[in-house]
């Protein structure tokens, strides 16, 4: 039997609630579809950091490289500054494994209420540059604590990095029904990196005559997402812009608790990582009410990436059957808990 080796990293907070739920659903599905998933559990978390001084133990990334995919929860804890946790665990994996294409679908699932008047029209894929831009880590701080203290945070845009994400976005847009791509930018105010970002987009566009495209400044994009959702199909944006726009997309599609993401290394030199876009959710941790649907949806994206398209589609159908039935957690206005939604999705697999 075909067996996929999956590294499971629940991390912090509700990661420890939604990842076990995801594994349960994936194992039930695999048994029905006739393949196997061998999960190995990694305790990489803020707890581990506080105990040992490291999120990732020595040799950890080397070991992680041997897996077919990574199934990740969230990282972030009240006791650790967020920049330490993010740079200690999630970014070393994204950057170290060159997972430069971050794919974030957003859609209003059946039975889910969008805050938008025209919510039914919301069916988007946001593609986030995931290796450089505003999150390159370039910068520094001098004269700490003194009146002349200075900090810089330099956005880095490279021709190679920009070209590959635009190409990826055009390829993805070409495969969708509307074949439309929106370039998000801020090249009016940011006249170096963002201008290069735009120029390379226009160059790459010439190779994709079948894809219609337009360009939107990031501030205007927020209003367009709210007021004209049907005018948007596929979106490509920088690391920071897409980070913000995709949380907005999640809220407009009902809740942060349903939004999935895939951190892809398209060349498959390294394993790709699949996670819900939400974080540790301190306010609901331990209450048993975290919405597991984002994790199930990202599990479906993981199966698609592994080449199990039929299983991926079956899982999406089960998720949609459960939302249509109204088995929803409180973030979606429902009264059900993580356990009940997980059980319902497992039942709906049949
Ligand atoms: P968050 O996503 O943890 O929570 C934002 C809000 O959404 C909260 O009210 C939360 O209860 C709600 N929410 C999130 N996921 C939910 C779910 N599955 N079901 C129901 N409700 C859900 O974002 P935050 O509060 O900005 O960050 C909390 C911590 O998580 C911080 O330490 C932050 O750095 C970290 N974080 C990590 C990641 C990641 O690991 N990829 C992403 C975002 C934030
Ligand atoms: Mn984010």
């Amino acid at each position: 039997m075909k067996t996929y080796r999956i590294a499971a990293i629940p991390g912090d907070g509700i990661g420890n609630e939604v990842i076990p739920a995801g594994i349960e659903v994936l194992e039930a599905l695999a048994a029905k579809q006739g393949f196997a998933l061998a999960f190995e559990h990694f305790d990489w978390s803020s707890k581990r950091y506080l105990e040992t001084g490291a999120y990732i133990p020595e040799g950890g990334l080397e070991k992680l490289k041997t897996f077919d995919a990574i199934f990740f929860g969230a990282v972030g804890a009240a006791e650790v500054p967020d920049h330490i946790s993010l740079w200690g665990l999630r970014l070393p994996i994204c950057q170290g494994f060159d997972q430069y294409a971050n794919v974030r679908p957003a859609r209003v699932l059946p039975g889910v209420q969008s805050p938008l008047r025209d919510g039914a029209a919301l069916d988007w894929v946001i593609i986030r540059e995931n290796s450089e831009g505003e999150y390159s880590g370039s910068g520094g701080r001098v004269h700490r604590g003194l009146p002349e203290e200075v900090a810089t945070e330099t956005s880095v845009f490279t021709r190679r990095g920009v070209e590959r994400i635009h190409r990826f976005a055009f390829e993805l847009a070409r495969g969708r029904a509307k074949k439309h791509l929106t370039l998000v930018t801020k090249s009016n105010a940011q006249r170096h990196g963002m201008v290069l970002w735009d120029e390379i987009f226009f160059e790459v566009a010439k190779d994709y005559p079948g894809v219609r495209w337009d360009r939107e400044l990031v501030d205007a994009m927020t209003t367009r997402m709210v007021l004209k959702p049907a005018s948007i199909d596929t979106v490509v944006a920088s690391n920071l812009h897409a980070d913000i726009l995709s949380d907005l997309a999640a809220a407009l599609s009902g809740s942060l608790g349903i939004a999935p993401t895939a951190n892809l290394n398209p060349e498959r030199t390294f394993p790709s990582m699949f996670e819900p876009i939400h974080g540790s959710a301190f306010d609901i941790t331990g209450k048993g009410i975290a919405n597991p649907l984002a994790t199930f949806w990202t599990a479906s994206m993981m199966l698609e990436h592994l080449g199990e398209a039929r299983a991926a589609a079956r899982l999406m159908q089960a998720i949609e059957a459960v939302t249509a039935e109204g088995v929803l957690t409180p973030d979606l206005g429902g009264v059900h808990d993580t356990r009940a939604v997980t059980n319902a999705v497992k039942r709906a697999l049949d």
Side-chain angles (χ1 to χ4, degrees), residues 28-348:
L29 175 61
K32 294 178 201 298
Q33 290 285 144
F35 61 88
L37 296 165
F39 287 97
E40 192 165 326
H41 298 262
F42 290 79
D43 69 344
W44 302 355
S45 60
S46 294
K47 181 166 173 286
R48 197 186 181 288
Y49 169 75
L50 290 167
E51 284 166 9
T52 69
Y55 278 89
I56 302 177
E58 195 135 350
L61 286 180
E62 280 308 311
K63 184 170 180 210
L64 202 57
K65 265 182 206 164
T66 66
F67 286 82
D68 294 312
I70 303 160
F71 196 39
F72 186 89
V75 64
E79 304 79 21
V80 184
D82 284 341
H83 67 278
I84 303 285
S85 54
L86 199 65
W87 283 95
L89 181 53
R90 192 176 164 272
L91 291 180
I93 300 172
C94 289
Q95 298 189 347
F97 289 2
D98 210 16
Q99 294 164 347
Y100 63 85
N102 185 196
V103 178
R104 302 183 154 204
R107 192 150 58 77
V108 181
L109 301 178
V112 171
Q113 183 70 45
S114 166
L116 293 179
R117 232 179 308 138
D118 191 15
L122 197 165
D123 181 1
W124 307 333
V125 178
I126 297 178
I127 294 142
R128 171 182 178 186
E129 200 298 314
N130 212 28
S131 66
E132 52 177 39
E134 305 86 345
Y135 298 175
S136 68
S138 171
R141 245 173 107 168
V142 292
H143 310 310
R144 280 189 185 243
L146 300 175
E148 39 287 305
E149 183 163 6
V150 179
T152 59
E153 192 82 45
T154 309
S155 297
V156 174
F157 291 89
T158 65
R159 178 166 283 279
R160 176 173 171 269
V162 172
E163 182 176 346
R164 67 184 184 177
I165 197 65
H166 288 331
R167 213 164 271 291
F168 181 91
F170 271 103
E171 292 284 341
L172 201 149
R174 183 160 71 177
R176 284 172 57 81
K178 286 191 181 170
K179 301 188 196 312
H180 185 270
L181 178 62
T182 300
L183 168 70
V184 169
T185 185
K186 194 64 196 173
S187 54
N188 54 345
Q190 298 186 297
R191 58 189 181 159
H192 308 297
M194 280 274 125
V195 173
L196 180 69
W197 171 259
D198 290 4
E199 282 174 7
I200 295 175
F201 181 92
F202 305 143
E203 287 170 25
V204 173
K206 293 189 187 119
D207 294 339
Y208 296 88
V211 177
R212 290 176 304 118
W213 59 266
D214 57 19
R215 170 181 170 279
E216 199 73 76
L217 297 173
V218 64
D219 36 357
M221 191 64 183
T222 61
T223 64
R224 181 166 160 192
M225 285 168 71
V226 173
L227 300 174
K228 293 182 185 164
S231 75
I232 302 168
D233 177 35
T234 321
V235 177
V236 65
S238 69
N239 216 328
L240 172 66
H241 292 166
D243 189 0
I244 298 168
L245 294 179
S246 55
D247 269 32
L248 175 58
L252 296 177
S253 64
S255 168
L256 203 48
I258 49 175
T261 183
N263 300 280
L264 299 179
N265 172 246
E267 289 73 29
R268 297 177 185 251
T269 314
F270 301 100
S272 293
M273 178 158 73
F274 300 82
E275 54 171 347
I277 80 169
H278 64 72
S280 311
F282 307 137
D283 51 339
I284 57 165
T285 299
K287 294 188 178 161
I289 55 164
N291 191 342
L293 293 183
T295 302
F296 298 164
W297 191 344
T298 198
S300 170
M301 295 176 83
M302 180 167 81
L303 292 170
E304 183 93 49
H305 181 76
L306 291 171
E308 296 291 344
R310 283 187 44 216
R314 188 168 177 176
L315 178 51
M316 263 338 275
Q317 278 159 15
I319 291 169
E320 293 185 28
V322 166
T323 56
E325 249 175 73
V327 184
L328 305 171
T329 43
D331 57 302
L332 288 173
V335 295
H336 297 273
D337 60 8
T338 313
R339 177 79 267 152
V341 174
T342 305
N343 289 345
V345 170
K346 280 165 72 183
R347 275 197 305 273

